[in-house]
Amino acid sequence: MNSSKLHFNLWVGAFFLLYLVPACVPISQTGSNTSTPNINLTENGVYTDKVFAQEARTIQLIRPNEPLLGAVIPISQETPLLLAFDVLELSGNNSATEVHAKIVHCNVDWRKSTLNNIEFLNDFNEFPINNISLSFNTKVPYSHYQFQVPTVKLSGNYIIKVYKNRNENEVLFTRRFMVYQNLVAIGASINVSSGVPERTTHQQVEFTINYSNLNVPNPADGFWVVIRQNQAWYNAIEGLKPTFIREVDKQLEYSHYNLENNLPGGSEYRYFDLRSTHFKGQNVGEIMLNKSPIEAFLLQDKSRGGEAYSQYNDLNGGFIIGNAETEDNSLDADYLLTHFFIRSETPVQGQVYITGAFNNRQLNPENQMKYQPDLQGYTGTILLKQGFYNYQYYVDTDNPAIASYYFEGSHFETENQYEIFIYNRPIGMQADLLVGYTNIFHNVRNRN
């Protein structure tokens, strides 16, 4: 038996002795809190992507033709966004729950704007979600919902709020989406960092804005800029000011040299294949069919912090639902308790998270890992629907000596998706509009 297989068997065995012998982990303990009356939908007034009920799973708000590119669409909305999600039947009875949705228009800070519903919607602001199907041949029963997001009249930031039984206190989840109208032209590039130590690890975003189609009396303060990498909000760059203004040409230049427009390149995402429960897919070490729910142990991970850059195609953190044994992926893909382990001889100074689109790239209690001294590593368990997944280990710390990419390494060469959002509040308008958007792939490669 080779050493890697031996180490895997040891960590699985130790995991069972420490955690699974006393009792199997029930589904009711694998997610966020159940929905409760009078819940606070915002954090200090700010709407986020948040799950309020543990039964809401595999939430996808996507462009139907480009499901991996995020919930951002043009004002024409010729192909509306599609919302798809599951509601687990925790009681074991496979029956559908009545679900409705509402739309909230937000300002650039993701606080509710003062606009009335009629100012941004064409319909009454309560939408039944009637496209419901029940799962079959799964150990974990669930209802699968699909909903075409209604078109809106204005560009900007939006929240879709989904709740049960026409009771807005029984919220399942909230999800952000953005609608843009390109009233400004954006020219952007990803360059080598202007910081010497960061040139091999970071990527620098530089861009220009042409606002000749807008009346902006004070262009230095008239726009709000947001830059996202791989659709994540936790490290988004916000509020950059122009470094040069050409008023005659109505052009703003954003070429910063103090690293405020830099983000770590990171590494290509790790991945695993859970599309089958009858054979072990890539980076899956063990599948236990006799458990309910089924349990999957990923192969032991190790730090890539000191390794050279490794080039391969990834999904930039995305995932694809699928069941290799059947045809209807959305209804007969089962849910598996998926166990993660990354080896670390000592704990790091900070909180370690498993991140990816499966949890909307958030840092929350469900995907936070725990350090286990007996195993010399971090463990985490997440209930996931069958599919092919990207993921990374993110370290959230205030210690400047510990980087967020401590376990992943960071390289300028890494392929990443960048989005630039430009907001403006027109004269006489009581809300912020999204007047410019562009999508850039750094170091993109042929995916065929």
Side-chain angles (χ1 to χ4, degrees):
M1 180 180 294
N2 62 43
S3 59
S4 61
K5 182 66 174 177
L6 176 60
H7 288 157
F8 172 76
N9 289 339
L10 288 174
W11 100 255
V12 172
F15 187 95
F16 263 88
L17 287 174
L18 288 172
Y19 304 105
L20 299 184
V21 170
C24 180
V25 180
I27 294 177
S28 60
Q29 296 179 9
T30 62
S32 53
N33 295 330
T34 55
S35 54
T36 55
N38 302 317
I39 59 175
N40 186 4
L41 294 183
T42 67
E43 298 175 9
N44 298 320
V46 177
Y47 282 94
T48 61
D49 299 303
K50 192 168 184 179
V51 178
F52 296 91
Q54 65 180 16
E55 62 265 34
R57 294 280 169 170
T58 317
I59 302 163
Q60 295 175 281
L61 185 55
I62 59 174
R63 313 180 203 178
N65 299 328
E66 300 173 303
L68 297 175
L69 293 188
V72 187
I73 56 171
I75 191 67
S76 63
Q77 300 162 86
E78 294 175 359
T79 304
L81 291 173
L82 176 68
L83 175 66
F85 60 95
D86 295 337
V87 175
L88 305 189
E89 301 302 331
L90 302 183
S91 64
N93 299 320
N94 204 1
S95 58
T97 300
E98 181 184 2
V99 174
H100 286 73
K102 278 195 172 183
I103 306 294
V104 180
H105 184 277
C106 295
N107 286 317
V108 67
D109 58 2
W110 289 101
R111 298 176 186 272
K112 187 179 184 299
S113 74
T114 59
L115 297 180
N116 296 319
N117 292 333
I118 195 172
E119 295 180 82
F120 62 87
L121 280 176
N122 296 302
D123 304 295
F124 180 72
N125 196 2
E126 185 173 56
F127 304 93
I129 302 181
N130 295 322
N131 187 349
I132 311 170
S133 302
L134 300 180
S135 66
F136 57 91
N137 295 329
T138 59
K139 288 193 174 183
V140 177
Y142 58 87
S143 302
H144 180 71
Y145 296 77
Q146 289 193 1
F147 176 63
Q148 183 174 288
V149 177
T151 57
V152 296
K153 297 178 182 179
L154 297 175
S155 68
N157 290 343
Y158 288 90
I159 287 288
I160 184 166
K161 175 178 67 175
V162 177
Y163 50 95
K164 299 189 299 183
N165 304 318
R166 305 195 75 167
N167 183 350
E168 292 189 50
N169 286 324
E170 293 190 70
V171 179
L172 291 171
F173 60 86
T174 54
R175 274 293 180 270
R176 292 177 173 182
F177 68 96
M178 289 75 79
V179 179
Y180 66 89
Q181 184 176 11
N182 275 335
L183 301 177
V184 302
I186 306 171
S189 62
I190 311 299
N191 301 311
V192 174
S193 174
S194 56
V196 176
E198 291 80 15
R199 288 188 176 181
T200 60
T201 60
H202 284 60
Q203 297 169 349
Q204 183 162 299
V205 185
E206 298 181 359
F207 58 99
T208 60
I209 299 174
N210 185 296
Y211 62 96
S212 57
N213 292 325
L214 291 177
N215 179 17
V216 184
N218 183 13
D221 297 316
F223 297 98
W224 184 263
V225 174
V226 177
I227 301 173
R228 287 199 309 181
Q229 181 193 68
N230 296 330
Q231 302 169 42
W233 289 107
Y234 55 73
N235 62 347
I237 298 172
E238 299 190 38
L240 291 178
K241 296 296 183 181
T243 55
F244 195 79
I245 301 174
R246 296 183 175 88
E247 292 194 40
V248 174
D249 299 324
K250 292 201 169 184
Q251 188 175 83
L252 306 178
E253 183 176 311
Y254 294 77
S255 298
H256 297 264
Y257 297 100
N258 293 323
L259 307 184
E260 57 264 59
N261 58 343
N262 278 226
L263 282 169
S267 295
E268 309 299 348
Y269 278 78
R270 303 174 192 256
Y271 58 90
F272 61 90
D273 189 346
L274 273 184
R275 286 176 290 185
S276 175
T277 57
H278 298 290
F279 65 86
K280 292 179 285 188
Q282 289 177 297
N283 295 321
V284 177
E286 189 69 36
I287 295 177
M288 298 187 172
L289 284 169
N290 61 332
K291 301 291 183 178
S292 184
I294 299 168
E295 301 200 29
F297 286 82
L298 304 186
L299 292 176
Q300 173 181 294
D301 283 320
K302 64 177 183 178
S303 174
R304 302 188 290 178
E307 295 182 358
Y309 173 66
S310 179
Q311 176 178 317
Y312 56 87
N313 290 333
D314 67 358
L315 303 178
N316 288 326
F319 66 94
I320 300 171
I321 295 301
N323 184 337
E325 281 84 37
T326 63
E327 295 181 357
D328 194 340
N329 294 329
S330 62
L331 299 180
D332 53 19
D334 214 332
Y335 276 84
L336 282 69
L337 277 177
T338 307
H339 302 288
F340 298 77
F341 177 79
I342 184 165
R343 190 164 183 80
S344 178
E345 293 185 0
T346 57
V348 301
Q349 295 185 31
Q351 304 300 323
V352 180
Y353 294 87
I354 310 159
T355 65
F358 65 87
N359 76 324
N360 213 50
R361 299 171 174 87
Q362 290 198 312
L363 311 179
N364 55 37
E366 182 184 8
N367 62 314
Q368 183 178 342
M369 305 191 79
K370 296 181 180 179
Y371 187 75
Q372 311 295 351
D374 294 337
L375 300 178
Q376 287 194 313
Y378 285 87
T379 62
T381 299
I382 304 175
L383 187 70
L384 294 174
K385 197 173 184 178
Q386 283 183 263
F388 183 90
Y389 286 84
N390 275 192
Y391 70 105
Q392 285 187 339
Y393 296 108
Y394 185 92
V395 180
D396 187 25
T397 178
D398 294 327
N399 186 347
I402 304 294
S404 60
Y405 50 87
Y406 176 86
F407 286 117
E408 301 297 352
S410 187
H411 310 275
F412 171 76
E413 299 88 346
T414 302
E415 184 212 358
N416 286 310
Q417 177 197 11
Y418 285 92
E419 297 166 286
I420 300 177
F421 302 84
I422 309 297
Y423 296 87
N424 170 257
R425 179 171 293 196
I427 298 173
M429 188 72 183
Q430 299 302 310
D432 301 323
L433 305 182
L434 180 51
V435 298
Y437 171 76
T438 192
N439 192 26
I440 315 160
F441 285 89
H442 170 66
N443 200 21
V444 66
R445 295 182 286 272
N446 189 341
R447 294 178 176 270
N448 295 330

